[in-house]
Each structure stands twice: as C-alpha cells, then as structure tokens.
Amino acid sequence: DKETASDNTGSGKGVSENTGKSGARGDVQKQMVVERYLSVSYPLPRIKVTSPYGYRKDPFTGKRKFHGGIDLQAMMAGTVVKVGQDKTSGKYVTLQHGNCMISYCHLSKILVARGTAVRPRDAVGITGSTGRSTGEHLHITCRLNGKSVDPAILFEHVRRVQQECVSALAEL
C-alpha cells in the first residue's frame, strides 16, 4: 500500500510514504512500540518475592495477619503524592499512576519530593529496613480505585506490555 502526503515545501510535489513494514510509517510505528515498552519497568533489576500479598504468619507476633503488600529483595510514569515516615512503613514514597496508588516502603533513603513527576526506571528511594521490618527489602503496596490489591498485578502488567511490544517489533 502506498499513500501520498504533501511535502510541505510548497513545490506541489507529493512525497511517497510506504505504509507497510518499512519506511517512514514503519519507523513511526517502531518508535511508538519502543516508547510503550519503555513506559513500564520493574522496580528492581532482580525480583525475589520474600513475603506475598495476603494472610501470613506475622514475623513479629507469630500470629496470622493480613499483609497488604509484597516484600521484595533487591514500574509506570506517575506523580509523587506523598513522602513520609511512620512506625509501620518506615520511610515511604507514594506514587499516583492514574487510578492506581503505589507505595514503596521501608526505604533507607527517599530520593524524591512531593509533586515530582517520575518516569519508569527513575529511582524514588533506596531499599532499607525502616519501620516494622525484619530486614532490608522493598515493600510495595497497591491501591486500585481506593481498594487494596495484590501488587503482583503490576508485574503481570509490565510483563504483558513488554511482551506485546516485543511481538509488535518483531512484526515490523
């Protein structure tokens, strides 16, 4: 398929643009796919879940208790809506990604301020063991439309977006 577009030089000549898998349109499609791939990221280069979302044996009391996040040992564009420190989460950063709020907790150091716009792969803090913690790790909590959800959905979203983009690039 071919399509003619104006060359915008006033010469009256048309510029041929290939709408197939190569040429200007293919380059634009490729750039869009690469940008989408880069729009998501895992929070750390290596992920090992050490304590999953849901009910578990509390490491401090030994009693069954709900754990509202995922603990990880050493994700999407958003805005820093809160930074702080409390007895439970220790030092934390909360990001808003549309209708999703993600908190990164137990940080040893916070690297962003409230109102900061962040991109995938931007560091927002350094893992630590502040607050109610049994050792250094990154604890992530996720609220979707105000409701607590398993943060593992974030990793599935990242995996799916990246897989779709790799497939789309292979077809271009």
Side-chain angles (χ1 to χ4, degrees):
D1 294 345
K2 293 218 176 211
E3 185 177 307
T4 302
S6 170
D7 66 0
N8 293 324
T9 63
S11 68
K13 295 179 183 177
V15 176
S16 178
E17 178 175 294
N18 185 344
T19 59
K21 296 183 181 193
S22 61
R25 178 158 293 174
D27 290 344
V28 169
Q29 288 175 326
K30 197 176 289 185
Q31 181 180 353
M32 288 172 53
V33 172
V34 168
E35 285 175 7
R36 181 159 192 255
Y37 181 91
L38 295 173
S39 75
V40 295
S41 176
Y42 292 107
L44 297 167
R46 192 183 85 220
I47 295 176
K48 177 183 176 189
V49 175
T50 59
S51 186
Y53 178 86
Y55 284 93
R56 69 173 186 173
K57 182 180 174 183
D58 185 290
F60 293 98
T61 67
K63 295 181 180 176
R64 187 171 189 256
K65 187 173 180 184
F66 185 76
H67 184 239
I70 290 180
D71 290 354
L72 302 168
Q73 276 183 322
M75 286 208 226
M76 305 178 287
T79 303
V80 178
V81 293
K82 192 172 183 183
V83 296
Q85 183 168 1
D86 64 34
K87 291 179 181 179
T88 303
S89 297
K91 293 180 183 176
Y92 65 89
V93 172
T94 302
L95 303 177
Q96 182 169 6
H97 310 278
N99 58 352
C100 185
M101 303 282 270
I102 301 171
S103 294
Y104 299 84
C105 307
H106 303 306
L107 303 172
S108 63
K109 186 173 184 177
I110 295 171
L111 303 175
V112 293
R114 188 173 185 266
T116 303
V118 297
R119 300 173 313 222
R121 291 168 300 286
D122 283 352
V124 297
I126 298 171
T127 59
S129 186
T130 59
R132 193 167 185 263
S133 168
T134 58
E136 183 172 339
H137 67 286
L138 174 62
H139 176 88
I140 296 176
T141 62
C142 181
R143 298 186 77 72
L144 186 59
N145 297 318
K147 201 172 196 178
S148 178
V149 295
D150 186 342
I153 67 168
L154 300 169
F155 306 130
E156 176 56 28
H157 173 71
V158 170
R159 186 200 62 74
R160 189 180 69 251
V161 167
Q162 290 182 343
Q163 187 175 36
E164 287 171 3
C165 292
V166 167
S167 295
L169 285 172
E171 292 177 14
L172 290 177

Short mmCIF file of all heavy atoms in Angstrom, two decimals, residues 98-160:
data_model
loop_
_atom_site.label_atom_id
_atom_site.label_comp_id
_atom_site.label_asym_id
_atom_site.label_seq_id
_atom_site.Cartn_x
_atom_site.Cartn_y
_atom_site.Cartn_z
N GLY A 98 -2.55 7.31 37.52
CA GLY A 98 -3.97 7.29 37.16
C GLY A 98 -4.79 6.94 38.39
O GLY A 98 -4.69 7.58 39.43
N ASN A 99 -5.59 5.85 38.29
CA ASN A 99 -6.43 5.44 39.42
C ASN A 99 -5.73 4.42 40.32
O ASN A 99 -6.36 3.77 41.14
CB ASN A 99 -7.77 4.89 38.92
CG ASN A 99 -7.62 3.72 37.99
OD1 ASN A 99 -6.51 3.37 37.57
ND2 ASN A 99 -8.72 3.09 37.65
N CYS A 100 -4.43 4.32 40.19
CA CYS A 100 -3.63 3.37 40.97
C CYS A 100 -2.62 4.13 41.83
O CYS A 100 -1.92 5.01 41.33
CB CYS A 100 -2.90 2.42 40.02
SG CYS A 100 -2.00 1.11 40.84
N MET A 101 -2.59 3.81 43.12
CA MET A 101 -1.62 4.40 44.05
C MET A 101 -0.66 3.29 44.49
O MET A 101 -1.11 2.24 44.95
CB MET A 101 -2.32 4.97 45.28
CG MET A 101 -3.37 6.00 44.95
SD MET A 101 -2.65 7.58 44.56
CE MET A 101 -2.60 8.29 46.16
N ILE A 102 0.62 3.54 44.34
CA ILE A 102 1.63 2.55 44.72
C ILE A 102 2.56 3.17 45.75
O ILE A 102 3.09 4.26 45.53
CB ILE A 102 2.44 2.07 43.50
CG1 ILE A 102 1.50 1.45 42.47
CG2 ILE A 102 3.53 1.09 43.92
CD1 ILE A 102 2.15 1.14 41.15
N SER A 103 2.75 2.47 46.86
CA SER A 103 3.66 2.94 47.90
C SER A 103 4.87 2.02 47.97
O SER A 103 4.75 0.80 47.92
CB SER A 103 2.97 2.96 49.27
OG SER A 103 1.95 3.93 49.28
N TYR A 104 6.05 2.64 48.07
CA TYR A 104 7.32 1.94 48.23
C TYR A 104 7.76 2.20 49.66
O TYR A 104 7.99 3.36 50.03
CB TYR A 104 8.35 2.48 47.22
CG TYR A 104 7.93 2.29 45.78
CD1 TYR A 104 7.09 3.19 45.15
CD2 TYR A 104 8.39 1.20 45.06
CE1 TYR A 104 6.71 3.02 43.83
CE2 TYR A 104 8.00 1.01 43.73
CZ TYR A 104 7.17 1.93 43.13
OH TYR A 104 6.79 1.75 41.83
N CYS A 105 7.85 1.15 50.47
CA CYS A 105 8.03 1.30 51.91
C CYS A 105 9.33 0.68 52.43
O CYS A 105 9.95 -0.11 51.73
CB CYS A 105 6.85 0.66 52.64
SG CYS A 105 5.25 1.25 52.07
N HIS A 106 9.66 1.01 53.68
CA HIS A 106 10.85 0.54 54.41
C HIS A 106 12.14 1.06 53.78
O HIS A 106 13.19 0.43 53.90
CB HIS A 106 10.88 -0.99 54.52
CG HIS A 106 9.68 -1.58 55.16
ND1 HIS A 106 9.22 -1.18 56.40
CD2 HIS A 106 8.82 -2.53 54.74
CE1 HIS A 106 8.14 -1.86 56.71
NE2 HIS A 106 7.86 -2.69 55.71
N LEU A 107 12.07 2.21 53.12
CA LEU A 107 13.23 2.77 52.43
C LEU A 107 14.27 3.28 53.43
O LEU A 107 13.92 3.78 54.50
CB LEU A 107 12.79 3.92 51.52
CG LEU A 107 11.74 3.58 50.47
CD1 LEU A 107 11.26 4.85 49.76
CD2 LEU A 107 12.28 2.58 49.47
N SER A 108 15.53 3.18 53.07
CA SER A 108 16.58 3.76 53.91
C SER A 108 16.75 5.24 53.56
O SER A 108 17.15 6.04 54.40
CB SER A 108 17.91 3.03 53.72
OG SER A 108 18.37 3.16 52.39
N LYS A 109 16.41 5.59 52.30
CA LYS A 109 16.54 6.97 51.87
C LYS A 109 15.49 7.28 50.81
O LYS A 109 15.26 6.48 49.91
CB LYS A 109 17.94 7.22 51.30
CG LYS A 109 18.22 8.66 50.95
CD LYS A 109 19.67 8.86 50.54
CE LYS A 109 19.93 10.34 50.31
NZ LYS A 109 21.33 10.59 49.99
N ILE A 110 14.87 8.45 50.92
CA ILE A 110 13.89 8.92 49.94
C ILE A 110 14.61 9.85 48.98
O ILE A 110 15.32 10.76 49.40
CB ILE A 110 12.72 9.63 50.64
CG1 ILE A 110 11.96 8.62 51.51
CG2 ILE A 110 11.80 10.30 49.62
CD1 ILE A 110 10.92 9.23 52.42
N LEU A 111 14.42 9.63 47.68
CA LEU A 111 15.15 10.40 46.67
C LEU A 111 14.29 11.40 45.90
O LEU A 111 14.79 12.09 45.01
CB LEU A 111 15.80 9.44 45.66
CG LEU A 111 16.77 8.41 46.24
CD1 LEU A 111 17.25 7.46 45.16
CD2 LEU A 111 17.94 9.11 46.92
N VAL A 112 13.00 11.50 46.22
CA VAL A 112 12.09 12.40 45.51
C VAL A 112 11.30 13.24 46.50
O VAL A 112 11.24 12.92 47.68
CB VAL A 112 11.11 11.61 44.60
CG1 VAL A 112 11.83 10.94 43.45
CG2 VAL A 112 10.32 10.59 45.41
N ALA A 113 10.68 14.28 45.99
CA ALA A 113 9.83 15.14 46.81
C ALA A 113 8.40 15.08 46.30
O ALA A 113 8.15 14.72 45.14
CB ALA A 113 10.33 16.58 46.75
N ARG A 114 7.46 15.45 47.16
CA ARG A 114 6.05 15.50 46.77
C ARG A 114 5.91 16.40 45.54
O ARG A 114 6.53 17.45 45.45
CB ARG A 114 5.23 16.05 47.93
CG ARG A 114 3.75 15.97 47.72
CD ARG A 114 3.00 16.39 48.99
NE ARG A 114 1.60 16.20 48.85
CZ ARG A 114 0.76 17.15 48.44
NH1 ARG A 114 1.20 18.36 48.16
NH2 ARG A 114 -0.52 16.89 48.33
N GLY A 115 5.11 15.95 44.57
CA GLY A 115 4.87 16.71 43.36
C GLY A 115 5.81 16.36 42.21
O GLY A 115 5.58 16.78 41.08
N THR A 116 6.83 15.56 42.49
CA THR A 116 7.78 15.16 41.44
C THR A 116 7.10 14.25 40.43
O THR A 116 6.41 13.30 40.81
CB THR A 116 8.99 14.42 42.07
OG1 THR A 116 9.60 15.25 43.04
CG2 THR A 116 10.00 14.03 41.01
N ALA A 117 7.31 14.53 39.15
CA ALA A 117 6.84 13.62 38.09
C ALA A 117 7.94 12.59 37.88
O ALA A 117 9.11 12.95 37.74
CB ALA A 117 6.58 14.39 36.81
N VAL A 118 7.58 11.31 37.91
CA VAL A 118 8.57 10.25 37.72
C VAL A 118 8.26 9.45 36.47
O VAL A 118 7.11 9.36 36.05
CB VAL A 118 8.67 9.31 38.95
CG1 VAL A 118 9.14 10.07 40.17
CG2 VAL A 118 7.35 8.63 39.23
N ARG A 119 9.31 8.88 35.90
CA ARG A 119 9.20 8.01 34.73
C ARG A 119 9.60 6.61 35.16
O ARG A 119 10.25 6.43 36.18
CB ARG A 119 10.12 8.50 33.62
CG ARG A 119 9.84 9.90 33.15
CD ARG A 119 10.91 10.33 32.19
NE ARG A 119 12.22 10.01 32.76
CZ ARG A 119 13.28 10.78 32.72
NH1 ARG A 119 13.23 11.94 32.15
NH2 ARG A 119 14.41 10.42 33.25
N PRO A 120 9.25 5.62 34.35
CA PRO A 120 9.73 4.27 34.66
C PRO A 120 11.25 4.27 34.76
O PRO A 120 11.92 4.99 34.03
CB PRO A 120 9.26 3.45 33.45
CG PRO A 120 8.14 4.23 32.87
CD PRO A 120 8.45 5.67 33.13
N ARG A 121 11.77 3.51 35.66
CA ARG A 121 13.21 3.37 35.93
C ARG A 121 13.80 4.52 36.73
O ARG A 121 14.98 4.50 37.04
CB ARG A 121 14.01 3.11 34.64
CG ARG A 121 13.72 1.74 34.04
CD ARG A 121 14.27 1.59 32.65
NE ARG A 121 13.72 2.54 31.69
CZ ARG A 121 12.50 2.50 31.19
NH1 ARG A 121 11.69 1.54 31.53
NH2 ARG A 121 12.09 3.38 30.32
N ASP A 122 13.02 5.56 37.07
CA ASP A 122 13.53 6.61 37.95
C ASP A 122 13.60 6.05 39.37
O ASP A 122 12.65 5.40 39.83
CB ASP A 122 12.61 7.83 37.97
CG ASP A 122 12.74 8.71 36.74
OD1 ASP A 122 13.65 8.46 35.92
OD2 ASP A 122 11.92 9.64 36.61
N ALA A 123 14.69 6.29 40.04
CA ALA A 123 14.82 5.85 41.43
C ALA A 123 14.03 6.80 42.32
O ALA A 123 14.19 8.02 42.22
CB ALA A 123 16.28 5.82 41.84
N VAL A 124 13.17 6.25 43.17
CA VAL A 124 12.40 7.08 44.10
C VAL A 124 12.92 6.92 45.52
O VAL A 124 12.61 7.71 46.40
CB VAL A 124 10.88 6.78 44.04
CG1 VAL A 124 10.33 7.10 42.66
CG2 VAL A 124 10.57 5.35 44.44
N GLY A 125 13.70 5.87 45.77
CA GLY A 125 14.25 5.64 47.10
C GLY A 125 15.24 4.49 47.06
O GLY A 125 15.43 3.85 46.03
N ILE A 126 15.85 4.26 48.20
CA ILE A 126 16.82 3.18 48.35
C ILE A 126 16.26 2.19 49.36
O ILE A 126 15.77 2.58 50.43
CB ILE A 126 18.19 3.73 48.82
CG1 ILE A 126 18.74 4.68 47.75
CG2 ILE A 126 19.17 2.59 49.11
CD1 ILE A 126 19.97 5.44 48.17
N THR A 127 16.30 0.90 49.00
CA THR A 127 15.75 -0.12 49.89
C THR A 127 16.38 -0.02 51.26
O THR A 127 17.52 0.40 51.42
CB THR A 127 15.96 -1.54 49.33
OG1 THR A 127 17.35 -1.77 49.17
CG2 THR A 127 15.23 -1.75 48.03
N GLY A 128 15.61 -0.44 52.24
CA GLY A 128 16.10 -0.36 53.62
C GLY A 128 15.34 -1.28 54.53
O GLY A 128 14.71 -2.26 54.09
N SER A 129 15.36 -0.93 55.81
CA SER A 129 14.69 -1.73 56.83
C SER A 129 14.07 -0.82 57.89
O SER A 129 14.10 -1.11 59.07
CB SER A 129 15.68 -2.71 57.46
OG SER A 129 15.02 -3.58 58.35
N THR A 130 13.52 0.32 57.45
CA THR A 130 12.91 1.25 58.40
C THR A 130 11.49 0.81 58.72
O THR A 130 10.86 0.06 57.96
CB THR A 130 12.91 2.69 57.83
OG1 THR A 130 12.17 2.70 56.59
CG2 THR A 130 14.33 3.19 57.58
N GLY A 131 10.97 1.25 59.85
CA GLY A 131 9.61 0.89 60.26
C GLY A 131 9.56 -0.52 60.81
O GLY A 131 10.54 -1.05 61.33
N ARG A 132 8.41 -1.15 60.65
CA ARG A 132 8.20 -2.51 61.17
C ARG A 132 8.71 -3.50 60.13
O ARG A 132 7.97 -3.95 59.26
CB ARG A 132 6.71 -2.71 61.44
CG ARG A 132 6.39 -3.93 62.25
CD ARG A 132 4.95 -3.87 62.72
NE ARG A 132 4.66 -4.97 63.60
CZ ARG A 132 4.07 -6.10 63.20
NH1 ARG A 132 3.73 -6.26 61.95
NH2 ARG A 132 3.84 -7.06 64.08
N SER A 133 9.99 -3.80 60.22
CA SER A 133 10.66 -4.60 59.20
C SER A 133 11.60 -5.59 59.85
O SER A 133 12.21 -5.30 60.88
CB SER A 133 11.45 -3.64 58.29
OG SER A 133 12.34 -4.34 57.47
N THR A 134 11.74 -6.75 59.23
CA THR A 134 12.65 -7.77 59.77
C THR A 134 13.99 -7.80 59.04
O THR A 134 14.86 -8.60 59.38
CB THR A 134 12.01 -9.17 59.66
OG1 THR A 134 11.69 -9.43 58.29
CG2 THR A 134 10.77 -9.26 60.52
N GLY A 135 14.15 -6.96 58.03
CA GLY A 135 15.40 -6.93 57.29
C GLY A 135 15.25 -6.08 56.04
O GLY A 135 14.14 -5.71 55.65
N GLU A 136 16.36 -5.77 55.40
CA GLU A 136 16.33 -4.91 54.22
C GLU A 136 15.53 -5.54 53.09
O GLU A 136 15.75 -6.69 52.72
CB GLU A 136 17.74 -4.60 53.73
CG GLU A 136 17.73 -3.65 52.55
CD GLU A 136 19.10 -3.16 52.14
OE1 GLU A 136 20.02 -3.21 52.94
OE2 GLU A 136 19.21 -2.74 50.98
N HIS A 137 14.59 -4.75 52.56
CA HIS A 137 13.78 -5.16 51.42
C HIS A 137 12.97 -3.96 50.94
O HIS A 137 12.97 -2.91 51.57
CB HIS A 137 12.85 -6.33 51.78
CG HIS A 137 11.77 -5.97 52.75
ND1 HIS A 137 12.00 -5.76 54.10
CD2 HIS A 137 10.44 -5.77 52.56
CE1 HIS A 137 10.86 -5.45 54.70
NE2 HIS A 137 9.90 -5.45 53.79
N LEU A 138 12.31 -4.12 49.81
CA LEU A 138 11.37 -3.12 49.30
C LEU A 138 9.98 -3.71 49.44
O LEU A 138 9.70 -4.78 48.92
CB LEU A 138 11.67 -2.82 47.82
CG LEU A 138 10.68 -1.88 47.12
CD1 LEU A 138 10.68 -0.51 47.77
CD2 LEU A 138 11.02 -1.78 45.64
N HIS A 139 9.12 -3.01 50.16
CA HIS A 139 7.73 -3.43 50.34
C HIS A 139 6.88 -2.53 49.46
O HIS A 139 6.98 -1.31 49.52
CB HIS A 139 7.34 -3.27 51.82
CG HIS A 139 5.91 -3.58 52.11
ND1 HIS A 139 5.48 -4.85 52.40
CD2 HIS A 139 4.82 -2.79 52.16
CE1 HIS A 139 4.17 -4.82 52.63
NE2 HIS A 139 3.74 -3.58 52.49
N ILE A 140 6.07 -3.13 48.61
CA ILE A 140 5.20 -2.37 47.71
C ILE A 140 3.75 -2.66 48.06
O ILE A 140 3.36 -3.82 48.22
CB ILE A 140 5.45 -2.76 46.24
CG1 ILE A 140 6.86 -2.39 45.83
CG2 ILE A 140 4.44 -2.09 45.33
CD1 ILE A 140 7.22 -2.81 44.43
N THR A 141 2.96 -1.58 48.21
CA THR A 141 1.51 -1.74 48.36
C THR A 141 0.85 -1.07 47.16
O THR A 141 1.38 -0.13 46.57
CB THR A 141 0.97 -1.10 49.66
OG1 THR A 141 1.23 0.30 49.63
CG2 THR A 141 1.62 -1.72 50.88
N CYS A 142 -0.32 -1.57 46.80
CA CYS A 142 -1.03 -1.07 45.62
C CYS A 142 -2.51 -0.89 45.96
O CYS A 142 -3.14 -1.79 46.51
CB CYS A 142 -0.86 -2.07 44.48
SG CYS A 142 -1.65 -1.59 42.95
N ARG A 143 -3.03 0.29 45.64
CA ARG A 143 -4.45 0.57 45.80
C ARG A 143 -5.00 0.96 44.44
O ARG A 143 -4.50 1.89 43.81
CB ARG A 143 -4.69 1.67 46.83
CG ARG A 143 -4.17 1.27 48.22
CD ARG A 143 -4.50 2.27 49.29
NE ARG A 143 -5.87 2.22 49.75
CZ ARG A 143 -6.41 1.26 50.51
NH1 ARG A 143 -5.68 0.23 50.87
NH2 ARG A 143 -7.67 1.31 50.88
N LEU A 144 -6.01 0.22 43.99
CA LEU A 144 -6.66 0.48 42.71
C LEU A 144 -8.06 0.98 43.00
O LEU A 144 -8.83 0.28 43.67
CB LEU A 144 -6.69 -0.79 41.87
CG LEU A 144 -7.21 -0.69 40.44
CD1 LEU A 144 -6.37 0.30 39.62
CD2 LEU A 144 -7.19 -2.06 39.78
N ASN A 145 -8.38 2.18 42.56
CA ASN A 145 -9.67 2.81 42.87
C ASN A 145 -9.93 2.81 44.38
O ASN A 145 -11.04 2.57 44.81
CB ASN A 145 -10.80 2.12 42.11
CG ASN A 145 -10.66 2.26 40.62
OD1 ASN A 145 -10.31 3.32 40.11
ND2 ASN A 145 -10.90 1.17 39.90
N GLY A 146 -8.88 3.04 45.17
CA GLY A 146 -9.00 3.13 46.61
C GLY A 146 -9.03 1.81 47.35
O GLY A 146 -9.11 1.77 48.57
N LYS A 147 -8.97 0.69 46.63
CA LYS A 147 -9.06 -0.63 47.24
C LYS A 147 -7.72 -1.35 47.16
O LYS A 147 -7.06 -1.35 46.12
CB LYS A 147 -10.12 -1.43 46.47
CG LYS A 147 -10.70 -2.59 47.20
CD LYS A 147 -11.86 -3.17 46.40
CE LYS A 147 -12.68 -4.05 47.30
NZ LYS A 147 -13.82 -4.61 46.62
N SER A 148 -7.32 -1.97 48.26
CA SER A 148 -6.06 -2.72 48.30
C SER A 148 -6.12 -3.91 47.35
O SER A 148 -7.08 -4.67 47.35
CB SER A 148 -5.79 -3.22 49.72
OG SER A 148 -4.61 -3.98 49.77
N VAL A 149 -5.09 -4.03 46.48
CA VAL A 149 -4.99 -5.16 45.56
C VAL A 149 -3.59 -5.74 45.63
O VAL A 149 -2.64 -5.08 46.06
CB VAL A 149 -5.32 -4.76 44.10
CG1 VAL A 149 -6.77 -4.32 43.96
CG2 VAL A 149 -4.39 -3.68 43.59
N ASP A 150 -3.46 -6.96 45.18
CA ASP A 150 -2.18 -7.65 45.17
C ASP A 150 -1.24 -6.94 44.19
O ASP A 150 -1.52 -6.86 43.01
CB ASP A 150 -2.39 -9.10 44.74
CG ASP A 150 -1.15 -9.97 44.82
OD1 ASP A 150 -0.02 -9.42 44.89
OD2 ASP A 150 -1.30 -11.20 44.79
N PRO A 151 -0.10 -6.43 44.68
CA PRO A 151 0.84 -5.73 43.79
C PRO A 151 1.41 -6.60 42.68
O PRO A 151 1.99 -6.08 41.73
CB PRO A 151 1.95 -5.28 44.74
CG PRO A 151 1.32 -5.25 46.09
CD PRO A 151 0.31 -6.37 46.07
N ALA A 152 1.24 -7.91 42.76
CA ALA A 152 1.72 -8.79 41.69
C ALA A 152 1.07 -8.45 40.35
O ALA A 152 1.64 -8.71 39.30
CB ALA A 152 1.47 -10.26 42.04
N ILE A 153 -0.12 -7.81 40.38
CA ILE A 153 -0.76 -7.40 39.12
C ILE A 153 0.11 -6.40 38.38
O ILE A 153 0.07 -6.34 37.16
CB ILE A 153 -2.19 -6.85 39.32
CG1 ILE A 153 -2.18 -5.53 40.09
CG2 ILE A 153 -3.11 -7.86 39.94
CD1 ILE A 153 -3.49 -4.77 40.06
N LEU A 154 0.91 -5.63 39.11
CA LEU A 154 1.81 -4.66 38.46
C LEU A 154 2.85 -5.39 37.63
O LEU A 154 3.17 -4.98 36.52
CB LEU A 154 2.50 -3.79 39.51
CG LEU A 154 1.59 -2.96 40.41
CD1 LEU A 154 2.39 -2.37 41.55
CD2 LEU A 154 0.89 -1.90 39.60
N PHE A 155 3.41 -6.46 38.19
CA PHE A 155 4.44 -7.22 37.49
C PHE A 155 3.85 -7.91 36.26
O PHE A 155 4.49 -8.00 35.22
CB PHE A 155 5.12 -8.22 38.41
CG PHE A 155 5.65 -7.57 39.65
CD1 PHE A 155 5.36 -8.08 40.89
CD2 PHE A 155 6.43 -6.43 39.58
CE1 PHE A 155 5.85 -7.47 42.04
CE2 PHE A 155 6.91 -5.80 40.72
CZ PHE A 155 6.62 -6.33 41.94
N GLU A 156 2.61 -8.38 36.38
CA GLU A 156 1.94 -9.00 35.24
C GLU A 156 1.70 -7.95 34.16
O GLU A 156 1.88 -8.22 32.97
CB GLU A 156 0.62 -9.66 35.67
CG GLU A 156 -0.19 -10.24 34.54
CD GLU A 156 0.56 -11.26 33.68
OE1 GLU A 156 1.48 -11.93 34.18
OE2 GLU A 156 0.22 -11.37 32.49
N HIS A 157 1.29 -6.74 34.56
CA HIS A 157 1.08 -5.65 33.60
C HIS A 157 2.38 -5.32 32.86
O HIS A 157 2.40 -5.21 31.64
CB HIS A 157 0.55 -4.41 34.32
CG HIS A 157 0.46 -3.20 33.45
ND1 HIS A 157 -0.48 -3.07 32.45
CD2 HIS A 157 1.21 -2.08 33.41
CE1 HIS A 157 -0.31 -1.92 31.83
NE2 HIS A 157 0.71 -1.29 32.40
N VAL A 158 3.48 -5.18 33.60
CA VAL A 158 4.78 -4.88 32.98
C VAL A 158 5.16 -6.00 32.01
O VAL A 158 5.56 -5.74 30.87
CB VAL A 158 5.87 -4.69 34.06
CG1 VAL A 158 7.27 -4.63 33.43
CG2 VAL A 158 5.62 -3.43 34.87
N ARG A 159 5.03 -7.25 32.45
CA ARG A 159 5.38 -8.39 31.60
C ARG A 159 4.55 -8.39 30.32
O ARG A 159 5.07 -8.55 29.22
CB ARG A 159 5.18 -9.71 32.36
CG ARG A 159 5.68 -10.94 31.58
CD ARG A 159 5.07 -12.24 32.09
NE ARG A 159 3.63 -12.30 31.95
CZ ARG A 159 2.98 -12.47 30.80
NH1 ARG A 159 3.64 -12.60 29.66
NH2 ARG A 159 1.67 -12.51 30.76
N ARG A 160 3.23 -8.16 30.47
CA ARG A 160 2.33 -8.20 29.31
C ARG A 160 2.66 -7.07 28.32
O ARG A 160 2.75 -7.30 27.11
CB ARG A 160 0.87 -8.11 29.76
CG ARG A 160 -0.11 -8.36 28.63
CD ARG A 160 -1.57 -8.28 29.07
NE ARG A 160 -1.92 -6.90 29.41
CZ ARG A 160 -2.16 -6.45 30.64
NH1 ARG A 160 -2.09 -7.27 31.67
NH2 ARG A 160 -2.47 -5.20 30.86
#
